Amino acid sequence: MKNWFKNVGPGVLVSAAFIGPGTVTVCTLAGVNFQFALLWALLLSIISCIVLQEMAARLGLVSQFGLSESIRKEIQNPILRGLAIMLVLSAIVIGNAAYEAGNITGAVLGITAVTPPLEFQIGSTFSLNIWSIVIGAIAFILLFIGNYKILERVFIALVALMSISFIITAFLTKPDFSAILEGLLIPKIGADGILTVIALVGTTVVPYNLFLHASLVSEKWKDPSKLKTARKELTAAIILGGIVSMAIVICAAAPNLTNVTSAADLAVGLNPLFGEYATWFIALGLLAAGITSSITAPLAAAYVVKGCFGWEGGLKSRKFKAVWMSILVMGVFFSSLKLKPIEIIRFAQIANGLLLPIIAIFLFWIVNKTSVMGVYKNSIFQNILGAVIIVISIFLGAKSIYSVLQNF
């Protein structure tokens, strides 16, 4: 058991990163609107996530470089390299800054589901949300310490809390397990469900996690002989994350739930059906999801910038800290003042819709290079799986961009 805990880390952080407030909200709406019918989409996304994250982990372990560093080193044409770096920086850094506000707000929703809101009025226009500042301060302290082992332990605890909270609540709803099995194994989709399917896959297979995972693995392990351990750890962590996402769908599929548009509404809605315990479990799960994502988004952005510019030093370097501090401060600002940076979020959605297939292609190309990976390059089976996932990600990216452009 002691050896098992010693090898837990990067995969748990990736799992924690994709189960943020956005995922909780999407899974809630999927359960409310479609009950168990779209669970197959989550199963598909878990498989895709494992395949792509394994490539990222293998790259980090064998090359000892992050994905952004590998892109900068392996693209020889200076114009193409510059364009690739600009695309990655704009989508990941600006996108993470926009979503950081949502992560912090999600954690605040978890707190305010069981406690009164704390606000400080500033003039007649703005009200300062004190809970946003508290969540931001927690994230700031953990990142500022700059100790990877401490971050690992905090994330293991938060992921455990989040998992227990949502899974227990799912069992409290006493679901029909035969209907769950049918939803998992028999794909069903109508015209109304396509955007929800895209959202479910998109919130699990997150572009910035590919950068984060490669960098974290290279921080934790220095020997390719640890590849088997890294694979086991990431597979177990992502499967657990997928089970948590499914548990949220199951909670939201409970009968007699009405007027549910977010996880906070779900917590309130479950109260009369299953008692105060369900409300507390959902609130704790949402709080843990918000805190974990509010730490990983700035951390991933810092790793991306570090790799793109070739900075030396790790978690404790000043430049590295300056990047995550900027992302965190913007997130706290937008969350605490209840501002909605709509245009930035729209840009982030379009950029991420384009970014996932492009980054997947970059990753696919690099892990097939003998000069980088040696004997650890992709096998034929891994290439087939990777190619299928890239085709799916291109389709989903195109649909995502189309859906966003329709709202302009």
Side-chain angles (χ1 to χ4, degrees):
M1 182 62 71
K2 184 179 180 181
N3 190 51
W4 184 85
F5 274 111
K6 185 180 178 181
N7 290 319
V8 170
V12 172
L13 268 70
V14 167
S15 182
F18 78 69
I19 308 177
T23 301
V24 176
T25 299
V26 168
C27 291
T28 296
L29 296 177
V32 169
N33 296 324
F34 303 98
Q35 283 69 57
F36 308 131
L38 299 184
L39 285 175
W40 65 268
L42 276 175
L43 183 61
L44 170 66
S45 67
I46 292 165
I47 295 169
S48 301
C49 189
I50 289 172
V51 172
L52 290 178
Q53 295 295 162
E54 187 277 336
M55 291 184 194
R58 185 157 30 98
L59 172 64
L61 188 60
V62 174
S63 71
Q64 286 297 297
F65 290 121
L67 181 53
S68 55
E69 291 169 292
S70 297
I71 290 172
R72 179 173 57 83
K73 287 176 179 291
E74 295 304 318
I75 299 178
Q76 301 301 319
N77 186 298
I79 296 175
L80 290 177
R81 182 170 60 238
L83 288 173
I85 288 173
M86 283 179 60
L87 175 64
V88 169
L89 283 174
S90 61
I92 296 295
V93 176
I94 297 176
N96 282 15
Y99 293 133
E100 181 68 357
N103 293 331
I104 294 171
T105 301
V108 172
L109 285 174
I111 295 174
T112 53
V114 291
T115 63
L118 289 177
E119 295 182 352
F120 180 75
Q121 192 68 32
I122 302 176
S124 58
T125 308
F126 298 118
S127 61
L128 189 66
N129 192 317
I130 305 301
W131 286 123
S132 295
I133 296 173
V134 171
I135 298 299
I138 292 171
F140 182 92
I141 291 167
L142 289 171
L143 286 168
F144 190 81
I145 291 170
N147 187 306
Y148 181 73
K149 288 185 178 180
I150 291 176
L151 275 178
E152 275 188 349
R153 289 166 185 165
V154 169
F155 271 84
I156 289 169
L158 287 172
V159 168
L161 174 64
M162 179 168 58
S163 304
I164 292 168
S165 297
F166 286 126
I167 291 170
I168 288 178
T169 312
F171 276 103
L172 285 175
T173 64
K174 297 179 181 178
D176 181 347
F177 287 100
S178 61
I180 291 173
L181 196 61
E182 181 181 340
L184 273 173
L185 301 179
I186 303 175
K188 293 178 183 177
I189 188 169
D192 295 337
I194 182 65
L195 291 179
T196 306
V197 169
I198 294 167
L200 286 170
V201 176
T203 56
T204 306
V205 190
V206 183
Y208 80 72
N209 269 349
L210 299 175
F211 293 91
L212 182 63
H213 202 181
S215 297
L216 292 175
V217 166
S218 66
E219 291 258 358
K220 185 173 180 69
W221 294 298
K222 304 297 181 184
D223 188 345
S225 65
K226 293 290 185 181
L227 181 57
K228 187 175 180 180
T229 300
R231 282 172 171 161
K232 286 181 179 179
E233 192 259 346
L234 81 88
T235 302
I238 292 170
I239 289 174
L240 175 61
I243 290 171
V244 171
S245 297
M246 291 178 187
I248 299 167
V249 173
I250 292 167
C251 292
N256 303 317
L257 280 179
T258 57
N259 300 319
V260 175
T261 58
S262 70
D265 294 336
L266 177 61
V268 175
L270 288 174
N271 196 336
L273 295 172
F274 308 109
E276 190 177 343
Y277 291 114
T279 305
W280 272 95
F281 281 129
I282 288 287
L284 285 171
L286 187 55
L287 173 62
I291 292 176
T292 54
S293 295
S294 67
I295 297 171
T296 53
L299 187 63
Y303 274 122
V304 168
V305 175
K306 174 179 177 285
C308 285
F309 291 111
W311 292 344
E312 298 296 329
L315 289 168
K316 293 187 177 181
S317 72
R318 289 184 179 181
K319 291 178 180 178
F320 191 91
K321 286 182 177 179
V323 176
W324 65 251
M325 282 181 189
S326 301
I327 301 295
L328 186 57
V329 167
M330 283 190 279
V332 171
F333 175 76
F334 287 124
S335 176
S336 64
L337 296 181
K338 297 184 178 179
L339 297 177
K340 294 182 179 180
I342 300 299
E343 298 307 318
I344 295 177
I345 290 173
R346 280 180 174 171
F347 169 78
Q349 286 178 306
I350 294 172
N352 280 340
L354 283 169
L355 188 66
L356 179 57
I358 291 172
I359 294 305
I361 290 169
F362 277 140
L363 179 63
F364 189 72
W365 170 59
I366 290 171
V367 294
N368 272 291
K369 295 195 73 171
T370 306
S371 60
V372 178
M373 303 299 294
V375 297
Y376 295 97
K377 70 177 185 178
N378 267 13
S379 66
I380 294 174
F381 180 66
Q382 287 169 324
N383 279 334
I384 292 171
L385 285 177
V388 170
I389 291 167
I390 287 171
V391 170
I392 293 172
S393 69
I394 290 171
F395 170 74
L396 292 176
K399 292 290 290 184
S400 175
I401 294 165
Y402 177 72
S403 66
V404 171
L405 291 176
Q406 278 188 315
N407 294 324
F408 275 100

